[in-house]
Amino acid sequence: MTQITYDEVNLMLRLYDLRREKFPQGGEENTFIRMVISYWDMVAGIVNRGLINDELFFESNGEIWVVWDRMQSIVPTWRAAYKNPKLFSNIEDTCRRLEAWREKRAPGSSAAMRQVMEQARHRPAGS
């Protein structure tokens, strides 16, 4: 395991604090979705620049992968609409590395997670 610095741990904890502040109860769903995506894109940019150790981040941040899994099918449309081929590339790059890291530790886990998420999407509300 690589050496983790106090500053990296402190940054991780501060990111969680920021997230709680950004997502108070109430408001419209569209606003929350935009906030979640922009939050994880910001965090991914920090991770991609090596300011947080990949392993430290990947061990406790599967939510970014779930967000990417849910949004990746629409990203090509957004990239075309905004004429920005790099839109959300921070999340995409981080999740590519996260999935490779996870598959090395637990082969088949990403496919299993996708299957569970797909089943959850088709489950009636409240069940």
Side-chain angles (χ1 to χ4, degrees):
M1 185 174 283
T2 59
Q3 182 70 20
I4 307 301
T5 68
Y6 172 80
D7 289 336
E8 287 177 312
V9 172
N10 189 37
L11 179 56
M12 287 289 291
L13 294 174
R14 288 181 53 213
L15 288 172
Y16 277 107
D17 284 341
L18 288 172
R19 183 168 185 255
R20 279 196 297 270
E21 290 173 13
K22 274 186 95 172
F23 304 119
Q25 294 297 316
E28 295 183 27
E29 185 176 89
N30 187 337
T31 301
F32 286 138
I33 291 168
R34 285 184 291 122
M35 290 169 68
V36 166
I37 292 171
S38 65
Y39 171 82
W40 283 116
D41 196 46
M42 174 199 68
V43 171
I46 292 168
V47 174
N48 292 346
R49 284 166 178 79
L51 297 171
I52 298 175
N53 174 280
D54 275 1
E55 188 168 2
L56 172 67
F57 183 78
F58 295 160
E59 284 175 344
S60 59
N61 287 290
E63 183 179 335
I64 191 172
W65 184 88
V66 173
V67 169
W68 175 248
D69 186 70
R70 296 272 171 105
M71 66 184 276
Q72 69 180 338
S73 64
I74 192 70
V75 168
T77 302
W78 288 339
R79 287 175 176 168
Y82 293 113
K83 299 187 183 335
N84 182 351
K86 295 294 191 179
L87 188 66
F88 304 120
S89 63
N90 284 326
I91 296 175
E92 183 177 23
D93 293 345
T94 297
C95 289
R96 187 179 307 117
R97 291 194 327 276
L98 187 154
E99 189 165 327
W101 174 85
R102 184 174 46 220
E103 285 299 310
K104 188 183 279 188
R105 293 178 60 156
S109 61
S110 295
M113 286 177 65
R114 282 189 182 94
Q115 183 178 12
V116 168
M117 288 172 38
E118 188 61 29
Q119 290 170 349
R121 283 185 203 146
H122 297 292
R123 195 173 302 137
S127 59

